[in-house]
Amino acid sequence: MPVYGAIEAGGTKFNCLVGSGPDQILAEIRIPTTSPAETFGQVLQFFGEQAKTNPLAAVGVGSFGPVDLYPGSPTYGTITSTVKPGWQMTDFVGPLKAALRVPVAFDTDVNAAAYGEHKWGAARGLTQFIYMTVGTGIGVGEMCAGKLVHGLVHPEGGHMLIPHDRQQDPFPGVCHFHGDCFEGLASGPAMQARWGIPAEKLPASSPAWALEARYLALAIINQIYMLSPQRIILGGGVMEQALLFPLIQEEAQQLLNGYVRSPQITDRIEEYIVPPALGSRAGVLGALALAMDAAGPRE
Ligand code: ADP
Ligand code: ZN
């Protein structure tokens, strides 16, 4: 059975694995995201070691970004305008290809997670859906008509603008580029800055959750209007708070106000706005799925 490599590259850690499916993982490692040289050094060491016993057919990458996904661009395969110090214009695909000499698939972290959910998780059989992560940042991966969406660059749904009532919530937002965009208002760091303690320490009784659910629901209904997704998958650290799901589902129904007529929304919203079936492994397993495609059809 062919074996593939997968990398979920995040701002704090790289999750890497070698295997051929969710139930066939041969090795797995977490590498801290320090400098590109140090982190890639460890990544290449891991895959180099693994390849001695299990030659890799391809490697898939889901990366934090923004990234250049445009084939033919001189900077294809690089992390571009990230705020992560030391990582601006870092070539990702080049060093991997040079060292491992196999096809490398490259996409955003959220597109990879969407793909993992499509292949093995909560979006099996769907052709149009979104995967949104609410963590250190907010990112949105999209599948449209059966394909992961790229485009001019790639969608940046985390930075959409949503109504911000400064009377009710005077918090100015934390986005380095836009202040009170969606990510600026609703990411984990935004919650921490607004309420003075990390989101995971806020009690269930805190007004933080209703406000968070409102921002998430506002962003979600915009995406429902734009894409008509068949399902919305919400992952990331902040969504570990299971209490958010019913709050978001109810708020979304109220905001939509019966306009988008589908039983998915009116009768079964708990099956429509859902957590990832693969949990926190959606991204790295999606990178594995991308690698399997990059290797081409099996003989
Ligand atoms: P990353 O975005 O770096 O991949 P996460 O998705 O875990 O990592 O997001 C980290 C953010 O999520 C932090 O801001 C943290 O405060 C928040 N977070 C982590 N765990 C929880 C939790 N159980 N409940 C609420 N917020 C959480
Ligand atoms: Zn922004």
Side-chain angles (χ1 to χ4, degrees), residues 158-160 175-179 181-184:
H159 296 267
M160 72 175 85
C175 177
H176 294 269
F177 289 88
H178 320 110
C181 68
F182 174 35
E183 174 175 300

Side-chain angles (χ1 to χ4, degrees), residues 7 9 14 40 43-44 59-63 67-71 73-79 87 89-108 294:
I7 305 172
F14 277 41
F40 282 129
V43 167
L44 292 176
V59 173
V61 179
S63 177
V67 289
D68 185 347
L69 301 176
Y70 190 71
S73 158
T75 53
Y76 170 79
T78 60
I79 296 172
W87 285 79
M89 299 316 294
T90 298
D91 185 5
F92 205 131
V93 171
L96 276 182
K97 269 196 165 156
L100 302 172
R101 298 179 179 280
V102 293
V104 175
F106 187 62
D107 214 318
T108 62

Side-chain angles (χ1 to χ4, degrees), residues 11-13 133-137 187-189 192 198-200 209 236-238 240-241:
T12 50
K13 60 187 182 310
T133 182
V134 188
T136 308
S187 61
Q192 174 156 5
E200 58 270 34
W209 300 114
V238 173
E240 297 282 323
Q241 297 289 325

